Amino acid sequence: MVGGILLRSLVWVGVGMAALPCAHASLGGNAASIDGETLAWQGVMNAEQGPHYLVREITNGSGMDIREYSNARGIVFAVSWKDPAPPDLRRLLGTYFGGYAAALASLDHPGLHRSVRIAAPGVVVESGGHLRAYAGRAYLPAEIPPGVTLTALR
């Protein structure tokens, strides 16, 4: 039941957010628009260049930590999050949200899962948590740069 309520809440949050104008990068999007995320998430952004990718981390005073990883072609190939509240997955997953929501809804007893791993064509979403401690990541396996391990996507 909790998972169903959570999913419905995320869908309603996403529906509300869809009406807002936004310039942001989401999974599979163009990293050139990530700068707009700082304002949208009401946070502070720090960028760090790795050997094979750029990671931009957005944090705010409420404990939110969002990381967006972009490859050399400027494609956001992974996002990760830690937040006291459920994150806006529609915003983070972008065009992949619909497939994620459908896969989540098809799980047997979705409300009994504290963590979930959805592997759909082209995307993997791992999410879990409980009140005041939500975390997860999503990535596009085909866009991960050579030499980058999944443990680097934290």
Side-chain angles (χ1 to χ4, degrees):
M1 175 142 188
V2 172
I5 292 170
L6 175 61
L7 178 59
R8 284 189 294 275
S9 297
L10 289 173
V11 170
W12 279 111
V13 166
V15 168
M17 293 301 289
L20 297 175
C22 56
H24 67 279
S26 57
L27 191 62
N30 185 326
S33 61
I34 290 177
D35 293 332
E37 287 295 285
T38 305
L39 179 61
W41 294 108
Q42 299 175 354
V44 176
M45 182 177 59
N46 293 304
E48 182 180 323
Q49 181 67 52
H52 305 287
Y53 58 89
L54 175 68
V55 61
R56 295 188 187 194
E57 180 178 26
I58 303 169
T59 57
N60 72 13
S62 71
M64 179 203 73
D65 182 5
I66 304 284
R67 292 173 178 239
E68 296 177 313
Y69 300 81
S70 57
N71 60 25
R73 293 189 350 241
I75 303 296
V76 176
F77 68 88
V79 294
S80 67
W81 58 90
K82 292 179 191 168
D83 201 337
D88 181 358
L89 291 181
R90 179 177 296 276
R91 180 180 207 104
L92 289 173
L93 300 180
T95 60
Y96 295 94
F97 179 79
Y100 166 76
L104 189 62
S106 72
L107 291 176
D108 289 336
H109 309 292
L112 300 177
H113 299 276
R114 287 193 178 243
S115 63
V116 89
R117 182 176 195 275
I118 303 290
V123 64
V124 176
V125 180
E126 301 166 344
S127 184
H130 53 83
L131 187 61
R132 310 261 332 132
Y134 295 91
R137 68 180 176 183
Y139 55 91
L140 306 175
E143 294 293 341
I144 297 175
V148 176
T149 64
L150 294 179
T151 56
L153 309 177
R154 51 183 179 90

